[in-house]
Amino acid sequence: MRGLAPVLRGETMGDERLPGSYDRPLWDVGPTAGWSSGTAGLGPVLRAHRAGYPKARTGPVRRAYEAAERAHRGQSRKSGEPYITHPLAVTLILAELGMDTATLQAALLHDTVEDTDYTIGELRADFGDEIALLVDGVTKLDGSKWGERAEAETFRKMVLAAAADLRVLLIKLADRLHNLRTLGFQPPHKQRRIARQSQELLIPFAERLGMYELKREMDDLCFSVLRPEAHAATEVALAAHEAEARALLEPVVVRLREALVEQRLSGEVVLHRRHLWAVHLDVGDRLDTLQPADLFRLMVLIDGEDRDCYIALGSVHAIMKPVPGRLKDFISLPRFNLYRALHTRVIAEGGKVMDVIIRTRHMHRMAERGLAAHIHDVAHGRRDGFEGRIDLEWLRRLLAWQNDATSADFLESLRGDLRPEGVAAFTTDGEVILLPPGATSLDFAYALGPQIGDHAIGSMVNGRLVPLHAPVDNGAVVQILTAETARPSADGLAAVVTPTARLQIRRHLAAQRAGDAAAQGRRMVAEAVAAAAGVDLLDLESRGISGSVAEHMGFTDLDDLYAAVGKGTVDLAGLVAAITAENA
Ligand code: MN
């Protein structure tokens, strides 16, 4: 078995833009400035396409390029560049994601019908139904005809087309990514509108499709437009903390690597840089509180099978204490998209917490590229058993009633369906606790641990006292007040929505009921033996008499016997007779 590949000092991933071909590791990318402006012509597109599809013919792509170039000739972007640079850049993004020839053709042509005299009929005649469907799916409806409803109806059209062919969404996402990259040439009010719409609709689409690489870049571009000061401050703070964070984390990387070698696992351990928006969501403006874990994740990439990830997890936990409740198994219980990995939080040297992500190489590619990787695999006849993993139930639900919905309702429902699934609340230490919608302070308490949930008596939300059953709002800072004597109650059961909290409270209530029955049963036995033989039950217990009777009757525990008496499942008179006989 091969050993672990050497880990380069300072090797980092996660800060890349869309990477190159599949033959290179995802983080092994050079600067992208040359192609993002799209001036390099069709060459980079064809090279990227051939890297993923060695047998692909270049003719169809060239033909689409020529048609698009002819249609857009004379038009220019706000940047002053020829218009064709935009479809070229969009196509390059898709080529580097490993998309197939038809998608690249449609991407080259994606703005022709919307912005030039070229009609969808001509396009269909020239390139066929498949390409026409893709282009039509991303073509905006004419604002002069549709008015205010244009935006909603355009989305409705796109969702409908996507139901027939998901590649429509990939083209739309690549189109939006390039528009965001070049947003600086637009007037400020338009920048903000596009960024906001991207956050509301396009980025959630990217997440739903498991395309995290693309999502991260879009996140940060929108962040810089909508919160320029916070964006700049976060960037500066991260740069200032980077060396210190690395110095702290690199010994951990080395230790982890050694631990994996001991388990005869092959793979790599790298620092994965978190993107600005993710850091901002975690720490907000409190940049003075930045911890190494805010800057980097430890990424363990395994050359192996799913089960090797669990072995790796074992070695991680063997050298660093896990933080209870922070292990997330997205291998056994995957998310709504293609994402699979193990997540854990551990305490590294000096009491610093550290988030560790463990994935196989295959999981990593799926996690970064989602649907695009899936389509690539299908095109290459590689089936991995995870097909259909993408939950398109939301898409189906939308389609089911989209016929009746007004434009406004449709957009609202689309927004609702794309909203992240739940709320993120903070501890007073700034730790994020993710909760499902409708979760309460009591759910929050149980998310911190059963001890805290069981003894919770109240909650301070954003510094104000609130009842435990009050729902927690997104972004709330929650402090749980506890008392040693407090116990879960039946009321608590009605006040929680999370499975962990429910389970823990039920367990407690069951134990309480059993305890109550045992206490009552013991009282009944004590009175009965006192009446029948004038003896003290405590005396009988201390001499082991009632214990041995319980044993004869098949109870392992005296309390179980008393509980059975309390519940009336054991005959009291018979029991008293047995005890007095044993005592005689
Ligand atoms: Mn476009």
Side-chain angles (χ1 to χ4, degrees), residues 4 43 82 92 115 217 263 288 323 328 374 396 414 451 491 556 565 568:
L4 284 170
L92 186 57
D115 293 335
E217 188 178 346
Q263 294 296 326
D288 51 317
V323 175
K328 298 201 184 82
H374 174 66
R396 261 179 243 119
L414 185 59
Q451 285 303 315
D491 292 352
T556 49
V565 174

Side-chain angles (χ1 to χ4, degrees), residues 77 83 86-87 90 107 110-111 114-115 138 140 171-172 175-176 178-179:
R77 296 272 288 173
Y83 194 90
H86 165 65
V90 171
H110 83 271
D111 275 333
E114 188 176 312
D115 293 335
V138 294
K140 264 199 212 86
I171 297 171
K172 181 69 193 175
D175 180 32
R176 181 54 59 95
H178 185 249
N179 284 336

Side-chain angles (χ1 to χ4, degrees), residues 12 14-21 24-32 35 96 213 369:
T12 305
D15 53 344
E16 70 276 21
R17 294 197 150 198
L18 284 171
S21 81
R24 280 164 32 206
L26 287 168
W27 53 92
D28 174 21
V29 276
T32 52
W35 57 264
E96 299 208 322
E213 195 175 66
R369 293 179 174 179

